[in-house]
Amino acid sequence: KIDSVTGEGIYGVKFLLYDGDNNPIGQYETDNEGYIYINKELPEGKYKIRELEPADGYISDNEEKTFYLKKGKTTEITWENTPQMGQIQITKKSSDDNPYNGFPAGTLLEGATFEIYDRANNLLDTIVSDKNGIAVSKPLPLGRYIIRETKAPNFYEANSNVIETEIEFVGQIVRLEVLNSSLYTNVSIKKRGYEQVVPNQSIRY
């Protein structure tokens, strides 16, 4: 049993195995790599298998599959499950009036970069805010996520707060708003030079 998006095995999916006359043989559950090994010796012939219960966060597939066993050979069935998906949408705004670019507080900002991690700290997606200040993730399975801003727009300071959020149901778009403060360098420049010059005079600053 594998994830149709990642190709990784799915743990905890329950199946019921039948013989060709629809007599139940046994109930089985996938291991942590997504496999079920039926060690019971089965005679040659026709068999059927049906998914009883999907793993959490996946859409159930109740289609019955038929397969055949031949003496001395191993039959392998690969069965995909589609994860229940949602998305994360971040709106990036200026929190104050920026003295360098003149943008007022509340301006939608382009060019902010965010990284989205799962609970195991695996990087799943990198998104960037567009001209409307919106950054949208790819479809993500239901679950909890951690978001970090890794790059701020020009003249702004990256928001250091770590965001935790959760996609709870199929088709949900989790909408978040993140503010950036203007970047202050604390550097001032004073230019000194002659107050008045005459033609052909060299000028020093």
Side-chain angles (χ1 to χ4, degrees):
K1 171 65 76 169
I2 61 172
D3 186 302
S4 64
V5 177
T6 66
E8 295 179 356
I10 304 172
Y11 168 77
V13 186
K14 294 182 174 65
F15 289 92
L16 188 59
L17 179 66
Y18 303 86
D19 63 18
D21 296 322
N22 292 321
N23 299 310
I25 295 172
Q27 182 175 315
Y28 303 90
E29 185 172 334
T30 55
D31 63 15
N32 59 356
E33 294 183 343
Y35 284 98
I36 290 175
Y37 295 97
I38 301 174
N39 295 320
K40 180 178 179 179
E41 190 169 325
L42 300 172
E44 261 189 347
K46 175 181 174 182
Y47 292 87
K48 298 176 183 179
I49 191 167
R50 180 168 61 87
E51 182 179 307
L52 292 177
E53 185 179 328
D56 290 341
Y58 288 86
I59 298 171
S60 180
D61 182 354
N62 296 319
E63 179 187 356
E64 187 177 78
K65 293 186 184 291
T66 301
F67 63 97
Y68 295 85
L69 289 183
K70 292 186 178 181
K71 187 175 180 179
K73 294 188 176 181
T74 300
T75 298
E76 183 175 345
I77 301 168
T78 301
W79 196 324
E80 294 184 348
N81 266 150
T82 302
Q84 297 173 326
M85 310 287 266
Q87 284 183 297
I88 295 172
Q89 178 180 298
I90 301 173
T91 301
K92 168 60 69 173
K93 291 182 179 180
S94 172
S95 67
D96 55 10
D97 298 336
N98 192 295
Y100 301 105
N101 58 22
F103 292 165
T107 298
L108 297 170
L109 301 176
E110 180 180 3
T113 302
F114 298 90
E115 291 181 345
I116 301 175
Y117 296 83
D118 62 14
R119 296 179 68 181
N121 208 36
N122 298 309
L123 178 61
L124 301 181
D125 200 6
T126 300
I127 57 178
V128 181
S129 60
D130 60 17
K131 63 181 181 180
N132 298 313
I134 304 296
V136 181
S137 75
K138 66 183 181 183
L140 297 168
L142 305 189
R144 297 191 65 83
Y145 295 93
I146 298 169
I147 303 169
R148 298 184 179 95
E149 183 177 345
T150 58
K151 182 183 177 183
N154 292 335
F155 309 115
Y156 290 91
E157 185 176 6
N159 194 314
S160 60
N161 294 329
V162 176
I163 303 169
E164 293 190 21
T165 190
E166 182 175 8
I167 301 175
E168 299 179 281
F169 55 85
V170 180
Q172 180 184 15
I173 299 177
V174 178
R175 291 180 169 84
L176 305 168
E177 182 176 286
V178 179
L179 303 178
N180 275 148
S181 300
S182 299
L183 184 63
Y184 292 93
T185 62
N186 295 320
V187 173
S188 60
I189 299 174
K190 185 174 182 180
K191 190 174 183 182
R192 294 194 178 106
Y194 300 120
E195 291 185 3
Q196 186 174 6
V197 294
V198 297
N200 298 320
Q201 178 183 356
S202 296
I203 302 174
R204 293 182 179 180
Y205 291 103

